[in-house]
Amino acid sequence: MIKKSAGIALRRSPAMKVGASVRRRAAAGLASGRSTLVDSVLMPAAQGSAARVQYAAVLDGHTLNLRALLPAGVPVPGASGADAAGADGDAPARAHVLFISGGTRIRATARLHRERDGQTSVQATVLLGEDIGGVPVTLGRWTLGLELDSGSPAPVRLQLIGDGAPAYGGPTRPLDTCVRTGRRHRLGLTPAGRLRLTIAPAVARAEVLRVNRAFTGTSVLFAVYGPDAARDGAAPPVVELVEQQRRTVLRHTAEPLPADATAWRVTLPLGRLVDTSARQTWSLRLVPGPRGGKPLEIGRHGHDLRSPRKVLTPPKFTVRAEDGTFVEVKPQYTRRGALQLVCTPRKSGTP
């Protein structure tokens, strides 16, 4: 109890706020230094063979958004004649984003745009993953580049230099995990400063679908994603209900939901489980299967929120314990997105 209180006090202390401020300033300084390196060293060293990335992000877990400026002197498709840009400044799509991994090259359509200052930019929105109708990129590292159809027999190929990482200061952040496949997409830089996409396999996670309320307890509907998510013929998953302060662990077997091999329901009779003499905080986790591994925290993990605890606020409800005491149950999420059930006995005898 003392250890937990000390941890809470430390997180709320002014010293931790100063530390967060220092971390933000350090991150801003690192981003500024990286931009200076790209513009002062890497781009001049490329000698006109690279486009400067201005923006690059995977926003919804599986869609790459890209914008880059072409270097001066590069032949631009549709620069004149019948292919000239229209009134909106867009030229015909005769540019492609290249995904390069070893000897494999995959092309995705990009758009050319004439800026007001006369420069030409390339813009692209690319769906990642053949199984969801996108480009067939696979697990591993992919270096990104550009290919322009200049009208000559050989196309013009350019490097993409600079990460173009946007600064996010609002309540959301980029979602790098695909909600449909579970694959993780991360943009970064090669040692030479080229834009690189790293695709990692899905990891197992247990996502809350709904928290149902009842006068005797609650039932939590959740889905399991990642490796071995569909458990056809396997034993139902076992959920551990863990009380943090007293280190109490209770186990309950989940039951399948119809028409979805990855979805389950676990019923928790809180009216029989809670101790009406003190406040309790319960968390839920999945017991590892036959292959072992770590327990999975049941919660909300596949989201783009910076602070799920502040944004995701399920309503409170009241249960009646076996001794007649009414207990207020407050579902909440931790900073990591794990679901908690905070049970507080009421002093009065009315709900």
Side-chain angles (χ1 to χ4, degrees):
M1 181 68 179
I2 296 176
K3 182 179 179 181
K4 181 180 179 182
S5 299
I8 295 174
L10 180 62
R11 289 195 299 269
R12 295 178 177 177
S13 67
M16 290 299 291
K17 295 181 180 179
V18 171
S21 176
V22 171
R23 289 194 297 270
R24 286 194 296 270
R25 288 200 298 269
L30 179 62
S32 176
R34 188 168 55 234
S35 295
T36 301
L37 174 66
V38 169
D39 293 326
S40 302
V41 179
L42 299 179
M43 286 299 294
Q47 299 179 351
S49 64
R52 176 62 163 98
V53 178
Q54 293 189 312
Y55 179 90
V58 179
L59 296 182
D60 61 355
H62 51 229
T63 305
L64 170 68
N65 294 268
L66 174 69
R67 183 175 186 272
L69 280 180
L70 297 183
V74 173
V76 178
S80 61
D83 291 337
D88 60 354
D90 285 330
R94 291 169 60 185
H96 294 87
V97 178
L98 286 179
F99 295 83
I100 306 169
S101 178
T104 303
R105 277 183 166 81
I106 298 175
R107 293 167 175 80
T109 301
R111 303 178 304 277
L112 294 168
H113 184 79
R114 309 299 173 79
E115 305 294 332
R116 292 182 178 180
D117 59 2
Q119 289 184 288
T120 303
S121 66
V122 174
Q123 303 173 14
T125 303
V126 184
L127 188 63
L128 303 173
E130 187 176 21
D131 48 355
I132 59 175
V135 293
V137 288
T138 55
L139 301 179
R141 293 180 173 180
W142 295 82
T143 302
L144 274 62
L146 291 177
E147 186 176 82
L148 306 178
D149 181 8
S150 62
S152 59
V156 175
R157 288 176 179 165
L158 300 173
Q159 303 175 37
L160 281 172
I161 290 183
D163 58 357
Y168 292 94
T172 61
R173 56 175 173 76
L175 180 63
D176 59 2
T177 301
C178 177
V179 296
R180 296 175 60 182
T181 65
R183 287 191 298 263
R184 293 164 292 159
H185 302 89
R186 183 174 60 85
L187 287 171
L189 295 179
T190 69
R194 297 185 65 181
L195 187 64
R196 179 167 63 190
L197 173 69
T198 302
I199 306 177
V203 296
R205 69 184 197 277
E207 291 285 334
V208 172
L209 302 177
R210 189 167 68 246
V211 178
N212 290 333
R213 298 170 289 171
F215 201 50
T216 57
T218 182
S219 62
V220 178
L221 279 60
F222 65 94
V224 181
Y225 299 102
D228 303 325
R231 303 169 57 97
D232 293 338
V238 176
V239 177
E240 287 185 339
L241 189 62
V242 183
E243 206 288 310
Q244 298 178 350
Q245 296 180 357
R246 303 185 183 183
R247 300 182 182 275
T248 304
V249 179
L250 304 174
R251 289 192 171 189
H252 298 268
T253 302
E255 57 180 334
L257 292 180
D260 190 344
T262 65
W264 304 87
R265 176 193 292 108
V266 59
T267 302
L268 306 174
L270 296 176
R272 290 195 295 105
L273 304 178
V274 296
D275 180 357
T276 58
S277 64
R279 175 179 174 179
Q280 294 178 298
T281 301
W282 299 86
S283 59
L284 288 77
R285 66 189 186 191
L286 286 185
V287 176
R291 297 186 180 182
K294 295 182 179 180
L296 294 180
E297 292 181 327
I298 298 179
R300 294 287 298 273
H301 307 288
H303 57 75
D304 62 351
L305 301 174
R306 289 187 179 276
S307 179
R309 187 166 192 165
K310 294 180 180 180
V311 179
L312 304 175
T313 55
K316 303 176 184 178
F317 59 98
T318 301
V319 300
R320 187 178 187 275
E322 290 185 331
D323 64 358
T325 302
F326 292 99
V327 179
E328 180 186 82
V329 181
K330 178 186 178 184
Q332 65 182 21
Y333 293 94
T334 66
R335 293 183 179 181
R336 294 184 304 177
L339 176 65
Q340 291 181 332
L341 302 174
V342 182
C343 301
T344 306
R346 290 181 178 270
K347 295 181 179 180
S348 63
T350 56

